[in-house]
Amino acid sequence: MPNKALFLDRDGTIIIDTDYPNDPKMVAFVPGTIEALREIQREYKLIVVSNQSGVGRGLITQEQFEAVHKQFVKMLESVNIEMTGIYYCLHAPEEKCDCRKPSPKMILDAAEKHHIELSSSYMIGDKMSDVIAGKRAGCNTILITPENHTIGTDSEKKYVGLTASDLHQAVNQIINLKG
Ligand SMILES: [Mg+2]
Ligand SMILES: [Zn+2]
C-alpha cells in the first residue's frame, strides 16, 4: 500500500519563525504542534521541506544552520515525533537552484524515496511558495495564515486548497475531512 505524507514547512509552521535562525536556543515549537503531529503521524508520514537560504545568502554559517537543525531533530525526538525525512534547500534565490520552493523538487524526491502517493498527501506551510510547491507536486495544500489575511493574488489562489490559522488547526481539518 502506498504511503501518505504530510509535507511540512519548518519555520513558521512547525517552529516559530525567527528569520534565518542561527542559534539552537531560538528553536521553539509553535503551540499545539506536538499534539497535532503525534496524532497524525499514526496515519501520515511526516516529511519536512524547508528553504534555508540564510546559508546561501551568507546570513548564517553552515555550522549555525547545522546546530539549529540538530536542536530541531533533538526536540522532535524528545516528544516522540518521527520525521521520515528532512529536506533543506540552502541556496540563495540568485543561485537559481532546482530545489528551492516553490519548486516541487524536494517533495518529489521525498515521494520517490519513501513511496508516497502524492494525491493522498498534503503540503502545509505559511507561505505561498509552500502551497505552490505542494500543488505542483500533485499534493493537497493547506496555507497557514492568520485570520483575515489576504490569500495571495488572484493568480496564486488556485494553489491554496484549505487555509488554517496554525498547524494544529490544519491537522484537525485533515482528520475531520476523513470523517
Ligand atoms: Mg515558513
Ligand atoms: Zn536549492
Side-chain angles (χ1 to χ4, degrees):
M1 206 175 97
N3 297 307
K4 299 185 291 185
L6 298 191
F7 295 99
L8 301 163
D9 171 51
R10 193 189 76 178
D11 301 355
T13 300
I14 299 174
I15 61 174
I16 294 169
D17 195 354
T18 53
D19 263 351
Y20 311 116
N22 60 11
D23 184 332
K25 290 196 198 76
M26 295 163 89
V27 182
F29 287 120
V30 173
T33 294
I34 298 168
E35 298 77 1
L37 293 184
R38 257 202 212 131
E39 160 126 27
I40 200 83
Q41 71 180 348
R42 290 189 216 135
E43 217 176 326
Y44 290 82
K45 290 190 179 295
L46 305 179
I47 297 174
V48 174
V49 288
S50 172
N51 287 351
Q52 290 297 323
S53 67
V55 178
R57 293 175 206 257
L59 297 170
I60 63 171
T61 65
Q62 182 82 27
E63 290 69 30
Q64 289 170 326
F65 158 76
E66 276 165 21
V68 169
H69 166 69
K70 278 199 190 115
Q71 176 66 9
F72 176 61
V73 169
K74 197 169 128 189
M75 285 171 58
L76 289 166
E77 282 173 0
S78 73
V79 292
N80 297 313
I81 293 170
E82 189 195 335
M83 289 296 168
T84 295
I86 302 182
Y87 292 73
Y88 291 111
C89 164
L90 305 185
H91 305 108
E94 309 80 67
E95 294 178 72
K96 305 245 184 288
C97 67
D98 60 359
C99 42
R100 180 175 166 81
K101 294 176 288 183
S103 159
K105 186 167 191 303
M106 291 191 283
I107 299 174
L108 294 174
D109 286 352
E112 191 179 330
K113 178 161 183 204
H114 300 288
H115 312 289
I116 308 290
E117 184 176 84
L118 289 162
S119 61
S120 314
S121 300
Y122 287 82
M123 171 71 212
I124 306 173
D126 67 325
K127 295 222 172 102
M128 277 308 303
S129 55
D130 295 314
V131 293
I132 293 172
K135 200 79 177 175
R136 283 179 177 165
C139 295
N140 304 290
T141 62
I142 304 181
L143 179 65
I144 292 178
T145 178
E147 265 171 303
N148 301 322
H149 185 274
T150 326
I151 304 159
T153 62
D154 279 347
S155 62
E156 287 174 331
K157 282 189 179 128
K158 62 175 182 285
Y159 298 106
V160 181
L162 299 168
T163 59
S165 59
D166 58 21
L167 181 56
H168 191 249
Q169 199 187 80
V171 164
N172 281 344
Q173 292 199 47
I174 293 169
I175 292 167
N176 291 337
L177 274 176
K178 291 169 33 62

